[in-house]
């Protein structure tokens, strides 16, 4: 099977949620999903292994728990050489993947970002996403407002750019590197459903 898309799915002790994240990807095709686990407990690992059993598109990569500022960035950086797809996507263990995302005709562009909506908290669902228009080498202000789950880019940028494990906003820093090479185009398709719950960084940020 030709692999067109690689999805990095990062995980840490959210077995009760990652099962749904895996399910949101499972019905897709021509993809590879690398589950990067940051030292989760046995219960979470067992849930993951059961969820991906007999599903060849999924691989579980277990890391000792990383204590750096951005563990997800550290795991992606150490695993990026395993990516086989031409297009790279990202997902967190408590979010859901937009199914129309892989069916989009990417055309000649090299990087895109999709709509992101929150669910799980009616009071916050309208604070949905930053969608400012095309982005090209304009500094970090807009890029640091994008969630890494929104962005899709060609695999070549994994070689040109670095996921910095010591950056407070590692995703914004990474996409700022991409924007120095190419324009990042907005796509009016829901790319990720971001779950609002009390343990999520987004929830804590919006309810300050």
């Amino acid at each position: 099977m030709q692999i067109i898309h690689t999805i990095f799915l990062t995980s840490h002790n959210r077995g009760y949620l990652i099962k749904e994240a895996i399910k949101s990807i499972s019905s897709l095709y021509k993809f590879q999903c690398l589950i990067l686990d940051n030292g989760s407990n046995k219960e979470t690992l067992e849930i993951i292994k059961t969820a991906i059993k007999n599903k060849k598109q999924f691989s579980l990569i277990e890391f000792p728990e990383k204590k750096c500022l951005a563990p997800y960035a550290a795991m992606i950086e150490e695993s990026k050489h395993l990516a086989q797809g031409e297009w790279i996507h990202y997902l967190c263990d408590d979010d859901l993947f937009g199914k129309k995302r892989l069916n989009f005709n990417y055309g000649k562009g090299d990087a895109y970002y999709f709509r992101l909506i929150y669910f799980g908290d009616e009071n916050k669902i309208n604070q949905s996403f930053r969608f400012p228009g095309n982005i090209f080498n304009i500094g970090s202000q807009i890029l640091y407002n994008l969630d890494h789950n929104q962005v899709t880019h060609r695999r070549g940028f994994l070689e040109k750019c670095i996921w910095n494990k010591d950056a407070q906003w590692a995703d914004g820093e990474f996409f700022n590197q991409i924007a120095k090479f190419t324009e990042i185009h907005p796509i009016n398709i829901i790319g990720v459903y971001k779950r609002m719950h009390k343990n999520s960084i987004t929830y804590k940020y919006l309810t300050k």
Side-chain angles (χ1 to χ4, degrees), residues 139-158:
S140 62
Q141 183 176 359
I142 291 177
L143 290 162
Y144 278 65
N145 283 327
L146 290 180
D147 188 287
H148 67 286
N149 296 339
Q150 289 178 263
V151 179
T152 292
H153 59 81
R154 290 191 186 273
R155 184 177 61 195
F157 291 114
L158 290 177

Side-chain angles (χ1 to χ4, degrees), residues 172-187:
E173 182 176 303
F174 183 80
F175 301 137
N176 200 27
Q177 295 174 64
I178 289 180
K180 293 177 181 178
F181 292 101
T182 190
E183 194 167 10
I184 304 178
H185 304 275
I187 304 301

Side-chain angles (χ1 to χ4, degrees), residues 82-198:
L82 300 173
Q84 299 178 39
E86 174 60 21
W87 293 100
I88 306 300
H89 309 259
Y90 305 93
L91 188 68
C92 295
D93 52 4
D94 54 346
D95 300 330
L96 303 178
F97 201 78
K99 296 185 183 300
K100 293 183 179 180
R101 183 168 176 164
L102 298 195
N103 296 327
F104 171 72
N105 182 7
Y106 288 89
K108 297 181 180 179
D110 293 318
Y112 301 88
Y113 69 99
F114 293 84
R115 288 180 59 191
L116 176 153
I117 66 170
Y118 298 133
F119 73 100
D121 185 328
E122 293 180 359
N123 295 324
K124 299 300 174 186
I125 198 165
N126 290 326
Q127 299 188 39
S128 53
F129 54 85
R130 304 292 197 280
F131 208 61
N134 289 16
I135 301 172
F136 181 68
N137 199 17
I138 58 173
S140 62
Q141 183 176 359
I142 291 177
L143 290 162
Y144 278 65
N145 283 327
L146 290 180
D147 188 287
H148 67 286
N149 296 339
Q150 289 178 263
V151 179
T152 292
H153 59 81
R154 290 191 186 273
R155 184 177 61 195
F157 291 114
L158 290 177
E159 300 174 3
K160 295 178 180 179
C161 307
I162 296 173
W163 279 96
N164 183 1
K165 64 183 177 65
D166 296 315
Q168 182 175 3
W169 302 109
D171 43 6
E173 182 176 303
F174 183 80
F175 301 137
N176 200 27
Q177 295 174 64
I178 289 180
K180 293 177 181 178
F181 292 101
T182 190
E183 194 167 10
I184 304 178
H185 304 275
I187 304 301
N188 195 22
I189 293 175
I190 297 174
V192 61
Y193 297 85
K194 195 163 187 66
R195 190 190 308 267
M196 296 292 293
H197 58 89
K198 291 184 178 180

Side-chain angles (χ1 to χ4, degrees), residues 7-11 18 21-22 25 33-36 91-93:
I7 304 166
F8 287 103
L9 171 54
T10 51
S11 164
I18 194 171
I22 292 170
I25 299 171
C33 180
L34 300 174
I35 302 175
L36 313 180
L91 188 68
C92 295
D93 52 4

